[in-house]
Amino acid sequence: DTGVSQDPRHKITKRGQNVTFRCDPISEHNRLYWYRQTLGQGPEFLTYFQNEAQLEKSRLLSDRFSAERPKGSFSTLEIQRTEQGDSAMYLCASSLPVRSYEQYFGPGTRLTVT
Amino acid sequence: GENVEQHPSTLSVQEGDSAVIKCTYSDSASNYFPWYKQELGKGPQLIIDIRSNVGEKKDQRIAVTLNKTAKHFSLHITETQPEDSAVYFCAAFEFNTNAGKSTFGDGTTLTVKP
């Protein structure tokens, strides 16, 4: 399968713990995006990378959130000191730079903070 | 920033009937309007899109129309089938300067009854 993959698919953690999610984009896509989706709502933009450079961050991305894409391939999203309000689906998408509007989404990581 | 409103939030139709989902957007600079289908446990999948220089686009049973003056666009599904049951999201995007940030509607849950 050559689509966007995310790991883990589900994560249950206790409040205050740190969690890290991984996204592997489609191989020739050098743009990578993170979105958050809560129940009954559409995805909300968090941040995006072109290659290894993080080019934009949403105000939704508080200081507890950090995203990296060290080699311009896979990306990680870390949430420190998780709160119950962080419970959501975290979606990753990728695109070609010349067609950045055509974004291909992964299956998401469902985070539950207890 | 952009704001996208989507209606209805739920839609139930009989198999074979047509379904229409409508979205409005606020930013006249938006020029790309994709529609996504999200099935349970999966990420959104791009099913059709339209650019602002086109008024209508069709792909088999799916069509999208755009009214730039009124800032609204619609998804039309004809001859609905049970496998069309899913959550559908519209989005708006300005791809000249906004490299990756799509703004999504809150989704429409479509149920096709056999």
Side-chain angles (χ1 to χ4, degrees):
Chain A
D1 185 67
T2 57
V4 178
S5 62
Q6 293 186 246
D7 184 71
R9 295 292 308 276
H10 304 275
K11 179 70 176 179
I12 300 173
T13 191
K14 292 185 178 180
R15 188 177 56 183
Q17 297 295 304
N18 299 343
V19 294
T20 301
F21 312 138
R22 176 178 169 130
C23 170
D24 286 88
I26 295 171
S27 59
E28 64 268 27
H29 288 186
N30 57 4
R31 286 203 175 162
L32 186 148
Y33 312 83
W34 285 99
Y35 289 84
R36 182 175 71 183
Q37 185 179 25
T38 53
L39 201 61
Q41 295 194 332
E44 296 175 290
F45 172 83
L46 293 178
T47 188
Y48 93 94
F49 293 83
Q50 178 161 318
N51 299 313
E52 65 275 10
Q54 188 173 16
L55 297 185
E56 189 170 349
K57 293 194 290 186
S58 164
R59 58 178 171 76
L60 294 175
L61 214 65
S62 75
D63 291 345
R64 297 184 296 105
F65 287 70
S66 63
E68 294 183 344
R69 195 182 182 198
K71 296 183 180 179
S73 56
F74 72 91
S75 176
T76 59
L77 177 68
E78 180 183 16
I79 309 174
Q80 296 182 326
R81 305 181 303 282
T82 52
E83 301 172 356
Q84 287 189 323
D86 296 332
S87 295
M89 175 78 83
Y90 289 85
L91 293 163
C92 176
S94 69
S95 73
L96 290 167
V98 292
R99 299 179 72 85
S100 60
Y101 44 90
E102 286 186 7
Q103 299 182 11
Y104 295 85
F105 283 83
T109 294
R110 168 77 64 190
L111 173 65
T112 302
V113 181
T114 62
Chain B
E2 176 64 273
N3 182 52
V4 176
E5 294 189 356
Q6 183 172 346
H7 300 279
S9 58
T10 60
L11 180 59
S12 181
V13 299
Q14 288 295 135
E15 183 177 0
D17 287 351
S18 296
V20 180
I21 303 170
K22 298 181 179 182
C23 289
T24 59
Y25 62 100
S26 61
D27 188 350
S28 57
S30 291
N31 49 18
Y32 173 74
F33 307 93
W35 286 89
Y36 292 86
K37 176 183 181 183
Q38 187 172 27
E39 297 174 315
L40 202 61
K42 297 183 178 180
Q45 177 190 7
L46 180 66
I47 56 172
I48 194 168
D49 54 27
I50 190 167
R51 297 194 191 192
S52 59
N53 59 350
V54 175
E56 183 174 356
K57 183 177 179 181
K58 189 173 182 180
D59 182 4
Q60 299 182 343
R61 298 186 296 109
I62 297 174
V64 58
T65 58
L66 170 67
N67 183 326
K68 285 192 299 181
T69 304
K71 296 201 191 88
H72 68 69
F73 56 112
S74 300
L75 176 72
H76 305 253
I77 306 174
T78 58
E79 300 172 15
T80 53
Q81 300 168 3
E83 52 265 38
D84 293 330
S85 295
V87 180
Y88 290 82
F89 292 97
C90 62
F93 185 91
E94 197 275 292
F95 63 74
N96 291 325
T97 59
N98 189 340
K101 190 164 53 180
S102 289
T103 302
F104 286 77
D106 283 340
T108 296
T109 300
L110 173 64
T111 303
V112 179
K113 299 177 182 177

